[in-house]
């Protein structure tokens, strides 16, 4: 059903910490492995061992260089940015779907693709500003992050593993999972403490996932960006050597 | 956006078909027997080929019947329902005109209403997407409806000698062509000058306007998003194509229609037919640009400076 539920009982989502993410891609690989072994079949790749490999990934890690903030010299930073479905409250990918394949669950807010109904028209991918949905080149249906719905309720797994694969594997604890509509949950407290933000709020999708911004960098002392000739140290033993050498030749 | 030819043919052919059907429904000219057969036949063929073309881009066309189910929320579903629904009054009027040689004004008006709503729903599939700010405007619907009206009317004028020779009809045809391209001109102006509120900073959740530079793509290879959403035609090529669209879609049809006004008989119809074909060709170029010049917000993650 591609009408959105008026209210969801729980609002499950991820919180991703851009401050501690080191861009190792473990979460992307873990997601690919879990979903390739799952019931919807492999996340297909084309020309997997050839020259032009491409394939479906539900989680992709971008890396950016971000310039220093105004008046805060030397605080340029590298931001590693894991991008996957934000399970939006007002998901445009759900309402545009003509067949009912794209749905948002009322019990926990997870947005899923029913790949038995999907006709592969790709309109949901056009509707998503975050690029959460990709067409499987072999199966010709749309694929997206399932929030590991087949892990989180799976009683055959140890309790510690009943979280999304990407959260379980992150070596720097940059990914967190929980109910963001519950103000007492760990993720809600984390978002509150670190000022977690929604991405592209102007698109009106009301994303559920939150990104924790990189903590403001500061430099311990004013670090010179270039070393001028005149700044060379001119005292001590090496200063004496330098002055002898300067007098010696051109 | 990668221009899918199946979608381009779908929107242009079905637009012309629904435009023609809408005018047939209004009963501007009495059509009977063989003439009616050609007229309704051409309308149905344009719509039918357009709709079939639209299924060609689907991954699973055998499940396309499911696309009628979500009309409560999806413009694509609504378009499917309306497209098929239009065939009901269209068939009734066709049978009445061809075999019974009767005009049915009320059923005919139903064709016009359904055809207009179908084209409107088609336009809303694109206009409802906030991710592509070029498309997200009432002007998109105005252009789709405008071109469906003008292309449909020109086909009708070309196939109906009595209509062609009636007073003011060629003037109306020229006016409709001008009106459609006027909407398109405003659409192009808006697309060229407006900026999206989505920026690389809002995409990454950065609090201020710090410059963002792409360091590394997530993968060394290409992917579906980059191929589908990352294609856009270079600005100077786009400008040339716009000129071509106007030359064959605006200037040439008007010249032909003016010429047709001075001619009679089959020669006039042939020249009017040329006007219809040229106008349609211009619309196809315009529709290609509609996709090829569109920018999608997701490309902000892939290094685009602006959406």
């Amino acid at each position: 059903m591609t009408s959105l539920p008026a209210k969801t009982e729980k609002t499950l989502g991820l919180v991703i910490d851009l401050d501690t993410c080191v861009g190792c891609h473990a979460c992307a690989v873990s997601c690919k492995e879990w979903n390739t072994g799952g019931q919807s079949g492999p996340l297909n790749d084309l020309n997997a061992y050839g020259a032009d490999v491409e394939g479906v990934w539900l989680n992709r890690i971008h890396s950016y260089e971000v310039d220093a903030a105004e008046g805060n010299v030397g605080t340029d930073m590298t931001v590693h940015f894991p991008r996957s479905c934000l399970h939006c409250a007002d998901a445009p990918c759900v309402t545009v779907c003509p067949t009912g394949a794209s749905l948002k669950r009322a019990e926990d807010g997870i947005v899923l693709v029913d790949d038995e109904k999907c006709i592969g028209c790709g309109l949901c991918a056009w509707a998503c500003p975050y690029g959460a949905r990709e067409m499987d080149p072999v199966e010709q249906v749309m694929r997206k992050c399932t929030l590991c719905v087949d892990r989180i309720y799976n009683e055959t797994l140890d309790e510690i593993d009943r979280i999304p694969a990407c959260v379980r594997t992150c070596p720097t604890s940059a990914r967190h999972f929980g109910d963001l509509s519950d103000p007492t949950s760990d993720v809600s407290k984390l978002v509150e403490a670190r000022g977690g933000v929604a991405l592209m709020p102007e698109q009106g999708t009301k994303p559920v996932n939150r990104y924790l911004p990189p903590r403001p960098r500061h430099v311990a002392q004013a670090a010179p960006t270039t070393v001028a000739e005149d700044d060379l140290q001119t005292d001590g033993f090496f200063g004496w050597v330098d002055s002898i050498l300067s007098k010696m030749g051109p | 956006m990668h221009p899918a030819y199946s979608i381009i043919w779908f929107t242009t052919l079905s637009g012309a078909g629904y435009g023609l059907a809408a005018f047939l429904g209004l009963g501007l000219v009495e059509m009977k027997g063989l003439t009616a057969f050609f007229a309704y036949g051409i309308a149905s063929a344009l719509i039918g080929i357009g709709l079939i073309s639209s299924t060609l881009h689907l991954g699973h066309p055998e499940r396309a019947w499911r696309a009628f189910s979500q009309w409560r929320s999806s413009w694509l579903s609504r378009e499917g329902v309306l497209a098929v629904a239009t065939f009901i009054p269209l068939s009734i009027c066709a049978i009445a005109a061809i075999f019974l040689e009767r005009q049915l004004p009320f059923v005919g008006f139903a064709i016009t209403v359904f055809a207009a709503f179908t084209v409107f729903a088609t336009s809303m599939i694109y206009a409802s997407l906030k991710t592509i700010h070029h498309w997200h405007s009432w002007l998109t619907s105005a252009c789709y409806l405008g071109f469906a009206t003008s292309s449909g009317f020109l086909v009708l004028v070309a196939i109906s000698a009595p209509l062609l020779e009636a007073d003011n009809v060629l003037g109306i045809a020229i006016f409709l062509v001008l009106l459609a391209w006027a909407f398109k001109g405003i659409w192009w102006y808006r697309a060229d000058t407006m900026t999206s509120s989505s920026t690389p900073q809002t995409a990454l959740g950065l609090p201020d306007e710090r410059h963002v530079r792409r360091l590394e793509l997530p993968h060394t290879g290409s992917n579906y998003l980059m191929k589908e959403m990352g294609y856009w035609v270079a600005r100077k090529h786009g400008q040339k194509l716009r000129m071509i669209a106007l030359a064959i879609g605006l200037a040439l049809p008007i010249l032909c229609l003016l010429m047709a006004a001075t001619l009679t008989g089959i020669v006039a119809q042939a020249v009017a037919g040329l006007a219809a074909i040229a106008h349609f060709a211009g619309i196809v170029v315009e529709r290609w640009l509609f996709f090829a010049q569109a920018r999608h917000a997701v490309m902000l993650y892939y290094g685009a400076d602006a959406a």
Side-chain angles (χ1 to χ4, degrees), chain A residues 2 54 60-65 67 83 95-96 100 115-116 118-119 126-128 139 200 202-203, chain B residues 59-60 63 66 70 73-74 130-131 198 202 210-211 213 215-216 218-219 222-223 227-228 296 301-302:
Chain A
T2 63
E54 64 168 86
R60 293 182 184 268
I61 320 310
H62 298 252
S63 298
Y64 304 98
E65 288 180 337
D67 283 353
R83 180 177 57 77
T95 50
V96 298
D115 58 6
E116 308 264 292
C118 178
I119 57 174
W126 289 16
C128 175
E139 294 295 316
M200 287 202 259
E202 68 283 351
Q203 289 277 335
Chain B
H60 282 274
R63 297 177 193 164
R66 291 191 180 274
Q70 302 304 311
S73 56
S74 161
K130 277 208 202 77
T131 45
S198 295
T202 64
R210 279 181 282 180
H211 184 64
R213 193 166 33 253
L215 177 59
E216 273 202 311
H219 294 90
S222 179
N223 70 20
K227 289 193 304 199
E228 185 83 348
H296 191 286
Y301 292 107
Y302 284 93

Side-chain angles (χ1 to χ4, degrees), chain B residues 110-121:
Chain B
I111 303 176
T112 311
V113 170
F114 273 94
F117 274 113
T118 307
V119 176
F120 176 69

Side-chain angles (χ1 to χ4, degrees), chain A residues 177-192:
Chain A
F177 165 75
D179 182 359
L180 284 140
S181 65
D182 173 7
T184 60
S185 68
D186 288 338
V187 280
S188 297
K189 289 189 205 151
L190 192 55
V191 168
E192 166 113 33

Side-chain angles (χ1 to χ4, degrees), chain B residues 181 188 236-253 278-279 281-286 289:
Chain B
W181 284 107
W188 276 336
K236 60 172 185 181
H237 295 314
Q239 292 301 96
K240 260 187 266 180
L241 284 166
R242 282 187 189 177
M243 292 300 118
I244 291 170
L246 288 171
I248 54 175
L250 175 64
L252 185 54
H279 184 53
I283 295 171
V284 171
V285 177
E286 173 271 319
L289 285 170

Side-chain angles (χ1 to χ4, degrees), chain B residues 84-160:
Chain B
V84 170
T86 309
F87 273 110
I88 300 172
L90 187 64
S91 313
I92 294 171
C93 278
I95 291 168
I98 298 166
F99 300 109
L100 306 175
E101 305 209 336
R102 280 188 60 188
Q103 311 295 299
L104 301 171
F106 289 111
V107 184
F109 188 66
I111 303 176
T112 311
V113 170
F114 273 94
F117 274 113
T118 307
V119 176
F120 176 69
T122 310
S123 72
M124 285 306 293
I125 297 169
Y126 309 106
S128 62
L129 298 176
K130 277 208 202 77
T131 45
I132 302 159
H133 79 272
H134 288 180
W135 294 357
H136 193 57
S137 158
W138 66 269
L139 283 164
T140 300
S141 297
C143 290
Y144 270 71
L145 284 163
F147 283 123
T149 310
S150 60
S151 55
F153 193 72
L154 288 191
V155 173
L156 183 63
V157 166
I159 60 180
S160 166

